[in-house]
Amino acid sequence: MLETVEQETGASPEWSVIWLHGLGADGHDFAPIVPELVRPHWPAIRFVFPHAPKRPVSINNGMPMRAWYDIVSMDFRSRADAKGVAESVQQLEALIAREQARGIPAKRIILAGFSQGGAIILSAGLKRSEPVAGLVALSTYLPEVDAAPAQLVDGAIAQPIFMAHGSADPVIPLQIAEHSAQVLTSLGFGVEWHRYAMAHQVCGEEIQALGDWLQARFAQA
């Protein structure tokens, strides 16, 4: 089981948000977003921020760092190490199972991720026959996008997706993210897409929009 940083917004959480960080960061990276995102009338939420394992990253001269998968190419169709993606999806599934064991059903679990973390969220979402309440994919893309139709399982498209990206992102070009959103939409997912005048980051307007989207998930439960 991955080590995690956890925050609870109230006693006896009714919801869980599992949030995966980007390349080279750790579970502390997005913890400060909680007070900016959470609204007073929301149900109690447990935020779970796992630390990715350390692994050599090929495009960084093999330097070990926290990463959800190795980056083996600059071509976005093949840049993610498929074995590493699969391992991280399994580790995410273990965290989901732990939340379920703590009394939070899948229908009240949100999966969120930034950059590499978001790529794992989208990959996992394709393969979930028991839908979670929603998928949040920030400044990211779907790895192995051409294989997505073959990887999709029955029931997965019930999961709504929030995707947001910066129009000036130098790490993952906007058109790569847009293509992923288009593919997911073509598969039947309900994708709410946002673009912002920013680089590879998160902005206040995006947090507001994500809060609105989360509020809609809570209202539907």
Side-chain angles (χ1 to χ4, degrees):
M1 186 72 66
L2 295 174
E3 291 185 16
T4 59
V5 176
E6 296 190 5
Q7 291 188 36
E8 296 184 358
T9 64
S12 304
E14 300 171 49
W15 287 74
S16 293
V17 176
I18 303 174
W19 197 310
L20 307 188
H21 62 74
L23 177 67
D26 64 19
H28 295 286
D29 195 39
F30 275 90
I33 207 171
V34 173
E36 295 184 57
L37 179 65
V38 172
R39 300 179 183 177
H41 59 282
W42 282 4
I45 307 165
R46 178 186 298 116
F47 283 85
V48 179
F49 301 99
H51 302 303
K54 289 185 178 177
R55 68 182 81 218
V57 176
S58 297
I59 65 160
N60 289 345
N61 298 316
M63 183 182 299
M65 61 184 62
R66 292 198 183 277
W68 297 108
Y69 51 85
D70 187 15
I71 300 174
V72 296
S73 162
M74 295 308 292
D75 182 347
F76 278 89
R77 293 182 183 274
S78 59
R79 76 188 258 122
D81 160 44
K83 182 170 179 283
V85 171
E87 287 173 357
S88 289
V89 168
Q90 283 188 327
Q91 289 172 317
L92 174 61
E93 288 294 333
L95 291 170
I96 294 169
R98 186 175 70 174
E99 291 310 297
Q100 290 176 299
R102 290 161 138 181
I104 310 292
K107 66 182 180 181
R108 294 209 300 269
I109 296 174
I110 302 281
L111 304 179
F114 175 82
S115 194
Q116 262 206 351
I120 297 302
I121 296 304
L122 293 177
S123 295
L126 283 177
K127 305 173 183 74
R128 278 204 65 83
S129 55
E130 183 185 17
V132 294
L135 311 173
V136 177
L138 309 179
S139 300
T140 193
Y141 71 106
L142 177 63
E144 300 180 284
V145 68
D146 296 332
Q151 294 177 354
L152 182 68
V153 301
D154 289 344
I157 63 170
Q159 301 166 118
I161 302 176
F162 179 96
M163 288 188 76
H165 212 86
S167 57
D169 191 326
V171 178
I172 300 171
L174 177 67
Q175 61 267 31
I176 298 294
E178 286 180 330
H179 178 60
S180 292
Q182 290 161 3
V183 168
L184 290 163
T185 300
S186 72
L187 292 175
F189 285 93
V191 180
E192 182 174 317
W193 169 262
H194 296 263
R195 61 183 287 181
Y196 300 98
M198 63 179 184
H200 195 64
Q201 62 193 99
V202 174
C203 67
E205 191 180 353
E206 179 182 14
I207 293 170
Q208 178 69 33
L210 176 56
D212 292 344
W213 183 86
L214 287 170
Q215 189 160 302
R217 307 285 76 76
F218 302 146
Q220 291 170 4

